[in-house]
Amino acid sequence: MSLPTIEKDIIELVQLFDGRISYKIEKDEQVIEYNSHDIYQSASLIKIPMLVEGFRQVEKNKIAFTQHVPFIQGDVAGGSGVLSALSNSLHLTVKDLLVLMTIVSDNTATNMLISLLGMENINTCMDDLGMKDTMLQRRMMDLQAAADGRENITTAADIVTCLKAIHKGDELLSSSRQQILEIMEKQQFCDKLPAMMGNEVKIANKTGSLDGVSHDAAIIRYGSETVYAAILTDQISSSEESRQLISQIGKLIYDDLVE
């Protein structure tokens, strides 16, 4: 596989796109990128390094996967997820929350984890991972914080850095990294990068969406080869146009990977 062979096709797609886009796609020493250090609202991509910090704290015995986390009304958030529609008498474990945050992007589970892990610790984790332009500054669906200018931000380059740390980094034990991959591979939102990929590949992805914002990031494995991809878009008038663009880029990656 050679990433430069698909770069021309991706650029042609980008030139037709009515919005802002950044991407970074990496395999081994091959990298293709476009404005990969431009800063975007992170949307739910911020949940990827949060997942890493959850496992870091388990490894340090600060928390345990099996411990129950109290359901606090102040953590309840709308948007994606299921917990806001369920009874607050649920007995949820740390592992439950990490899975819900990731595979259905549950905002209430995310807020519960922010309370448990600590916003400062999450930001320290991102610094340790080398995510230089990524910050968690507010809880999910905190519209007042967003209006006050406290926004969660990231870049395509930072997200790829995080994906690489999950797959082969040294911030976590190999057993933790494998568990994170297994969680991400259970992703329920697969209509962007994975949408036109076949079953030959293993895909561990996480999407992010807000009004006018649409992202996806994935670790894509085929045999001994691994591709890390982060596609970020905003200023979009049509979420469907963005979804199609991201899925078409995914198809180009897939075709080149399995050919």
Side-chain angles (χ1 to χ4, degrees), residues 44-56:
S44 288
L45 294 188
I46 201 73
K47 298 169 184 177
I48 305 175
M50 283 186 60
L51 184 59
V52 174
E53 175 58 14
F55 274 79
R56 285 212 318 175

Side-chain angles (χ1 to χ4, degrees), residues 144-164:
Q144 184 58 55
D148 292 342
R150 287 185 285 122
E151 191 53 81
N152 302 327
I153 57 173
T154 194
T155 67
D158 276 1
I159 294 298
V160 166
T161 294
C162 188
L163 296 177
K164 290 168 64 179

Side-chain angles (χ1 to χ4, degrees), residues 11-29:
I11 290 172
E12 288 178 357
L13 291 172
V14 167
Q15 289 174 340
L16 297 173
F17 180 59
D18 183 21
R20 187 171 73 122
I21 182 169
S22 298
Y23 61 80
K24 185 170 185 178
I25 305 167
E26 183 170 341
K27 177 196 171 290
D28 297 329
E29 300 302 315

Side-chain angles (χ1 to χ4, degrees), residues 129 161-174 177 228:
L129 292 172
T161 294
C162 188
L163 296 177
K164 290 168 64 179
I166 289 170
H167 184 235
K168 62 179 184 179
D170 55 10
E171 280 294 325
L172 294 172
L173 298 173
S174 60
R177 292 189 284 104
Y228 311 97

Side-chain angles (χ1 to χ4, degrees), residues 16 70 95 116 153 241:
L16 297 173
K95 188 67 172 289
L116 178 69
I153 57 173
E241 180 186 1

Side-chain angles (χ1 to χ4, degrees), residues 2 89 173 247:
S2 176
S89 63
L173 298 173
S247 65

Side-chain angles (χ1 to χ4, degrees), residues 44 47 50-51 54 69-86 90 92-118 122 136 139-141 206:
S44 288
K47 298 169 184 177
M50 283 186 60
L51 184 59
V69 183
F71 194 100
I72 301 171
Q73 195 61 36
D75 287 333
V76 176
S80 57
V82 298
L83 290 184
S84 62
L86 301 179
L90 290 170
L92 297 163
T93 67
V94 169
K95 188 67 172 289
D96 292 332
L97 295 178
L98 290 169
V99 171
L100 287 166
M101 175 183 71
T102 306
I103 73 171
V104 293
S105 208
D106 195 291
N107 286 329
T108 298
T110 306
N111 284 346
M112 293 171 74
L113 286 166
I114 291 173
S115 297
L116 178 69
L117 303 175
I122 294 165
L136 176 67
R139 292 151 66 85
M140 300 302 107
M141 305 304 289
K206 181 75 192 76

